[in-house]
Amino acid sequence: MPPLSRGALIVIEGLDRAGKSTQHARLCQNLESQGRRVKSLRFPDRTTPIGKSIDAYLRGESQQEDHVIHLLFSANRWEAAGQIRSAIEEGFTVVIDRYHYSGIVYSAAKDKVDLSLKWARDPEIGLPRPDVCVFLDIAPEVAAKRGNFGREKYETSAMQKRVRELFYELMGTSDGLDIRVVDAGRSVEEVEQDIIERVNDVMEQPKMAKPLTAILPWEEMAHIQG
């Protein structure tokens, strides 16, 4: 693979128990084996003060109004925005387990509050835009059979079904330009190979010679290809 003029921003997304953490770790190892310098991140980052509030909420130890918790999730990503940009400018490839895509769809999926995809997305405008997002697609009923399902607030079959529907709705917007779908219902090795192929394809594109861009309003992103 040819050297890049900067690092890449890669995101792994999917339903709960889709295998994100496993594939995130394997992708980092694979990129490092290619000689890449890699930084690994995960959202929410539960180590910051905001992240600790989110962690308590997800574990059912505290309550938050739905608009408030959404903005806390967004703020948690903004806390790391400068770190992400600096790392990429220094030539590191940043691999993130969950990013703004999950933030948008999980809030919009709640059935007791009217949070549109657009409302949920607006606070993310200006964050670093991924070069590629790999969505690990799996049927909610299959994910629910995997270990530890149900430990946290959003791990219910109804919620996961709605989240999956909204991920596909999001793919129909300008954000879909960055998303590649991988069937996560297969073996770990098969999923890993598909992810590597999709990531390598993006990292070999001419856009990697250009500066990292920012997430823009949908109407502006619609005019930007890559």
Side-chain angles (χ1 to χ4, degrees):
M1 183 182 299
L4 308 180
S5 59
R6 62 168 172 83
L9 179 53
I10 303 165
V11 174
I12 305 294
E13 282 282 10
L15 304 186
D16 292 302
R17 309 302 163 186
K20 295 181 306 301
S21 296
T22 296
Q23 294 300 338
H24 174 263
R26 284 175 172 251
L27 178 59
C28 289
Q29 292 170 0
N30 183 277
L31 292 171
E32 287 173 342
S33 73
Q34 297 178 29
R36 304 290 183 200
R37 293 186 296 165
V38 176
K39 283 191 179 295
S40 168
L41 293 176
R42 177 175 288 107
F43 289 110
D45 177 355
R46 306 188 190 211
T47 65
T48 72
I50 291 174
K52 290 176 181 177
S53 295
I54 293 171
D55 183 59
Y57 168 81
L58 291 173
R59 294 179 182 276
E61 298 169 359
S62 70
Q63 298 297 317
Q64 293 281 2
E65 195 275 335
D66 288 304
H67 297 78
V68 173
I69 192 62
H70 176 77
L71 294 174
L72 286 175
F73 273 105
S74 181
N76 191 234
R77 290 183 283 275
W78 274 103
E79 287 182 301
Q83 173 190 351
I84 292 170
R85 289 193 185 95
S86 295
I88 287 171
E89 288 172 1
E90 293 169 10
F92 285 90
T93 289
V94 178
V95 185
I96 305 178
D97 180 350
R98 286 204 191 283
Y99 196 43
H100 73 290
Y101 309 94
S102 279
I104 296 168
V105 299
Y106 273 82
S107 287
K110 295 178 180 179
D111 59 3
K112 294 182 180 180
V113 62
D114 183 18
L115 291 178
S116 69
L117 286 175
K118 183 180 183 304
W119 188 95
R121 185 182 183 277
D122 281 350
E124 315 299 324
I125 293 172
L127 284 174
R129 177 184 173 185
D131 292 299
V132 62
C133 168
V134 177
F135 175 67
L136 302 183
D137 190 27
I138 190 170
E141 57 270 21
V142 175
K145 295 177 181 178
R146 295 184 171 181
N148 298 317
F149 183 85
R151 288 195 310 176
E152 294 193 332
K153 184 178 288 286
Y154 296 153
E155 292 182 356
T156 68
S157 295
M159 181 69 169
Q160 295 297 307
K161 179 181 178 181
R162 183 58 179 150
V163 164
R164 188 183 188 218
E165 291 171 352
L166 287 173
F167 261 116
Y168 273 92
E169 188 173 331
L170 191 65
M171 290 178 209
T173 70
S174 301
D175 287 305
L177 296 170
D178 303 326
I179 299 174
R180 308 290 184 271
V181 179
V182 168
D183 179 1
R186 299 166 299 156
S187 71
V188 170
E189 292 77 16
E190 288 174 312
V191 175
E192 178 183 20
Q193 185 58 42
D194 270 7
I195 292 173
I196 291 169
E197 289 176 2
R198 283 158 175 75
V199 167
N200 284 347
D201 178 62
V202 169
M203 293 176 75
E204 291 170 354
Q205 291 180 12
K207 77 171 185 175
M208 293 304 305
K210 302 176 182 178
L212 187 71
T213 59
I215 295 169
L216 299 174
W218 275 331
E219 57 270 21
E220 293 184 36
M221 283 185 65
H223 300 291
I224 300 176
Q225 302 295 318

